[in-house]
Amino acid sequence: MSRDIRIVTEAQLREVVSLDLETVDVIEAAFRALAGGGVVMPPILSMAIEEAHGEVDVKTAYVPGFDGFAIKVSPGFFDNPKIGLPSLNGLMILFSATTGLVETVFLDNGYLTDIRTAAAGAVAARHLAPSDVAVAGVIGTGLQARLQMQAAHLVRPFDRCLVWGRDPARAASCAADIAAATGAQAEVMTCPASLCEQSQLVVTTTPATEPILTAEMLHGGLHVTAMGSDQGGKNELAPQALARADLYACDRVSQCETLGELRAARAAGLMPDTPPELGEIITGMATGRTHDAQITICDLTGTGVQDTAIATHVAARLGGAGTVIPV
Amino acid sequence: MSRDIRIVTEAQLREVVSLDLETVDVIEAAFRALAGGGVVMPPILSMAIEEAHGEVDVKTAYVPGFDGFAIKVSPGFFDNPKIGLPSLNGLMILFSATTGLVETVFLDNGYLTDIRTAAAGAVAARHLAPSDVAVAGVIGTGLQARLQMQAAHLVRPFDRCLVWGRDPARAASCAADIAAATGAQAEVMTCPASLCEQSQLVVTTTPATEPILTAEMLHGGLHVTAMGSDQGGKNELAPQALARADLYACDRVSQCETLGELRAARAAGLMPDTPPELGEIITGMATGRTHDAQITICDLTGTGVQDTAIATHVAARLGGAGTVIPV
């Protein structure tokens, strides 16, 4: 029996899906589904290729009620920029959840991951940031720094954006891009402490292995989303910062205790209890921010549920895009 | 920077690679590499979708010296035959081992897995079966029963083939196919015991969850390859059979103790020592069969190294086959 598999490139995807409120809602639905039970999400398959300074992660999740499930392969080869190639690449595959047949291969070079990751930051901000955010700050100056601010602006339309990174020139370039994308005034800060002091919302987007944001930088009325750590060796927030927050939530406890900020906090003997997940806060199963003066933290490691949600959403909007291969 | 990704279908693959001695040698090289060290092979990612009576496995391995590494996705949805679809499907993706970029997507519906799995059986027979095999037996009547006998015949050109399965009609069909593929005389047996009694080489290819082959069925001068079990719940050989053999070897100890025959034997309190791996026997790091009257068993669960080996081998032979997608 012949059937068709659709192959879709990054350029084709960029024409049908972008980082907007609809995408944020799709990812919010993924977090709701994760909290609703019945989701099957195995641990991430992770392989390091030390000779090439590379790694590859595979994520997947089955979500009841979704027609398909995605399997995403994300290679990161960190010497690539030396030869003019991006570090992050990969593809996403959408399978039928009833037959297991391959339906669509997204040769997206990580584009869908970029926007579903940024959209998760917006979901965290929507449900945990103070109601008014005049100033947002971002620590880190890569693509996600830009996208996280763009996403946060959709749900908390701040007027000013503060940027800090180790390299001031990269920070300036990042600030200019954020200003262009959001219309906010964007400026480079000289240290994370002053960035936090002036912000009501801070997103950390670095691959740091030593904490950048300390407990002393927190203040009432601040929400922090830490999305940089997705591996056992990474750590952006000091353990004491988690302990100081009025509320610490994460995307998936089982992932965050090994790959997220919770890992270092637990290793330091802090945060022994099971924290709420973002999906539980969204659905009301757990309590979120109760007043604007609280300090909240959300720890995002990225879940296969987000991949399944974005892939099924995009597949439904493809129309005739892509190359059909009869198999 | 634009680059090309090649998409290759099952039909195109069947024109460039088949189950022959060259493929057996490719898979033998994979086992050698696995024994040689430096291989990175993470645990299999496995997800069950109970609502659809389905499962999906993802395997990968990095093998030093290979230009690429494969990631293979194997869905098995066991209600598919009711609607005229095969249970097993999937695809394999070949990535550059130096940049992590996607190079080739094999929409193979499991074809490469079928032949690399059968080829592993031939490698086991080549290194562990008695030197003369006049009669080979196969337990199970599916595609792998056929392919395992076809592969075994490449390295031990037997004259007779015995087939047993629960359904005599399916066994007869399987025997006819094996006779046609190998030129051997093939006949259906009434029980596994008589099949073993007459054979010098037996391959078990079933999804059994209770042992089919018992210790009493073993006899001097017999080699058994058990390739059906690849999950925690499966079990083809009685624990006492493993204990009775003069030599038990497996493809990967860390997999076989959770997914292979070794699991049930360990659960029964048997086989406490670390067994040799097939690659160690091939390379001479471990001792294999030392005389023809011994009883040997090889437990194959299937490794990502085989996938990486077959994918890189096939990619080098593609020529202009497939559809090139610029990304």
Side-chain angles (χ1 to χ4, degrees):
Chain A
M1 194 172 95
S2 179
R3 58 192 178 82
D4 292 338
I5 294 176
R6 189 174 295 269
I7 313 292
V8 191
T9 64
E10 178 184 349
Q12 291 160 341
L13 283 168
R14 284 182 182 271
E15 292 188 6
V16 296
V17 63
S18 60
L19 182 53
D20 54 19
L21 276 174
E22 185 176 359
T23 301
V24 173
D25 290 340
V26 165
I27 298 305
E28 179 164 317
F31 281 105
R32 286 179 186 274
L34 188 56
V39 165
V40 186
M41 191 163 72
I44 298 166
L45 182 157
S46 188
M47 179 168 74
I49 301 180
E50 290 177 9
E51 287 91 326
H53 196 196
E55 64 185 38
V56 58
D57 284 351
V58 183
K59 293 183 181 181
T60 188
Y62 167 72
V63 186
F66 282 64
D67 293 339
F69 65 92
I71 292 187
K72 184 181 71 179
V73 183
S74 303
F77 280 63
F78 302 102
D79 291 339
N80 281 2
K82 295 177 190 168
I83 54 171
L85 294 171
S87 296
L88 302 178
N89 282 285
L91 81 176
M92 205 181 281
I93 311 150
L94 182 65
F95 296 82
S96 161
T98 49
T99 66
L101 294 177
V102 178
E103 295 188 334
T104 314
V105 179
F106 299 105
L107 300 173
D108 73 330
N109 301 316
Y111 173 65
L112 293 178
T113 299
D114 291 338
I115 63 168
R116 69 79 154 147
T117 301
V123 173
R126 179 188 266 168
H127 291 278
L128 289 170
S131 47
D132 286 324
V133 173
V135 181
V138 65
I139 293 177
T141 58
L143 177 61
Q144 272 298 316
R146 292 158 168 85
L147 294 180
Q148 287 288 339
M149 287 297 100
Q150 192 181 328
H153 196 264
L154 294 170
V155 298
R156 292 291 189 274
F158 48 81
D159 304 316
R160 286 176 68 211
C161 177
L162 312 180
V163 181
W164 181 82
R166 287 174 306 174
D167 180 336
R170 286 172 58 88
S173 166
C174 182
D177 288 346
I178 291 169
T182 63
Q185 180 198 339
E187 55 201 275
V188 173
M189 303 302 287
T190 54
C191 65
S194 55
L195 180 148
C196 290
E197 186 180 8
Q198 299 182 50
S199 302
Q200 293 85 49
L201 167 64
V202 168
V203 184
T204 61
T205 68
T206 75
T209 53
E210 298 288 336
I212 295 174
L213 194 151
T214 63
E216 294 71 33
M217 298 180 197
L218 299 177
H219 59 81
L222 175 64
H223 171 74
V224 176
T225 295
M227 57 70 56
S229 182
D230 57 356
Q231 282 183 13
K234 294 183 183 173
N235 183 204
E236 298 187 280
L237 309 190
Q240 292 78 8
L242 273 62
R244 184 179 167 194
D246 295 294
L247 174 69
Y248 164 87
C250 65
D251 54 4
R252 190 66 164 172
V253 174
S254 57
Q255 283 191 188
C256 290
E257 61 193 8
T258 57
L259 309 175
E261 300 301 329
L262 189 53
R263 180 193 58 79
R266 288 268 173 88
L270 300 171
M271 307 295 293
D273 297 333
T274 300
E277 294 184 352
L278 180 56
E280 295 170 339
I281 290 170
I282 295 169
T283 57
M285 297 163 64
T287 303
R289 173 181 289 270
T290 54
H291 58 88
D292 276 350
Q294 285 183 317
I295 299 170
T296 53
I297 292 176
C298 190
D299 187 0
L300 299 178
T301 50
T303 67
V305 174
Q306 292 164 252
D307 299 321
T308 284
I310 195 84
T312 51
H313 170 69
V314 171
R317 294 169 57 136
L318 280 176
T323 306
V324 171
I325 309 269
V327 296
Chain B
M1 195 170 97
S2 179
R3 59 193 177 82
D4 292 338
I5 294 177
R6 189 174 296 271
I7 313 291
V8 191
T9 65
E10 178 183 350
Q12 291 160 341
L13 282 169
R14 286 183 181 272
E15 293 188 8
V16 297
V17 64
S18 60
L19 181 53
D20 54 20
L21 276 174
E22 185 177 359
T23 301
V24 173
D25 289 341
V26 165
I27 298 304
E28 179 164 316
F31 281 105
R32 286 179 186 276
L34 189 54
V39 165
V40 185
M41 192 163 71
I44 299 166
L45 181 157
S46 189
M47 178 169 73
I49 301 180
E50 290 177 10
E51 287 91 328
H53 196 196
E55 62 185 40
V56 59
D57 285 351
V58 184
K59 292 183 181 181
T60 188
Y62 167 73
V63 187
F66 281 65
D67 293 338
F69 66 91
I71 291 187
K72 184 181 71 177
V73 183
S74 303
F77 279 63
F78 302 102
D79 292 338
N80 280 3
K82 295 176 189 169
I83 53 170
L85 293 172
S87 296
L88 302 178
N89 283 286
L91 81 175
M92 204 180 283
I93 310 149
L94 182 64
F95 297 82
S96 162
T98 48
T99 66
L101 293 177
V102 178
E103 295 187 335
T104 315
V105 178
F106 299 106
L107 299 173
D108 73 331
N109 300 315
Y111 172 66
L112 293 178
T113 300
D114 291 339
I115 63 168
R116 69 80 155 147
T117 301
V123 173
R126 181 188 266 168
H127 291 279
L128 289 170
S131 46
D132 286 324
V133 173
V135 182
V138 65
I139 293 177
T141 59
L143 177 62
Q144 271 298 316
R146 292 158 168 86
L147 294 181
Q148 287 288 338
M149 288 296 101
Q150 193 182 327
H153 197 263
L154 295 169
V155 298
R156 291 293 188 273
F158 48 80
D159 303 315
R160 286 176 68 211
C161 177
L162 312 179
V163 180
W164 181 81
R166 288 174 304 173
D167 181 335
R170 286 172 58 90
S173 167
C174 182
D177 287 347
I178 292 168
T182 64
Q185 181 196 338
E187 55 201 277
V188 173
M189 303 302 287
T190 55
C191 64
S194 55
L195 179 147
C196 289
E197 186 181 10
Q198 299 181 49
S199 301
Q200 293 85 49
L201 168 64
V202 168
V203 184
T204 61
T205 68
T206 75
T209 53
E210 297 289 335
I212 295 173
L213 195 150
T214 64
E216 295 70 33
M217 298 180 197
L218 299 176
H219 59 81
L222 175 64
H223 170 74
V224 176
T225 294
M227 58 69 57
S229 182
D230 57 356
Q231 283 183 14
K234 294 183 184 171
N235 183 206
E236 297 188 280
L237 310 189
Q240 293 78 8
L242 273 62
R244 185 179 167 197
D246 296 295
L247 175 68
Y248 164 87
C250 65
D251 54 3
R252 190 64 164 174
V253 174
S254 57
Q255 283 191 185
C256 290
E257 61 193 8
T258 57
L259 308 175
E261 301 301 329
L262 189 54
R263 180 193 57 81
R266 288 267 174 88
L270 301 172
M271 308 294 294
D273 296 334
T274 299
E277 294 184 354
L278 180 56
E280 294 170 337
I281 290 170
I282 295 169
T283 56
M285 295 162 65
T287 304
R289 175 180 286 272
T290 53
H291 58 87
D292 276 349
Q294 285 182 318
I295 299 170
T296 52
I297 291 176
C298 191
D299 187 0
L300 300 178
T301 49
T303 67
V305 175
Q306 292 164 251
D307 299 320
T308 284
I310 194 83
T312 51
H313 170 69
V314 171
R317 294 169 57 137
L318 280 177
T323 305
V324 171
I325 309 268
V327 295

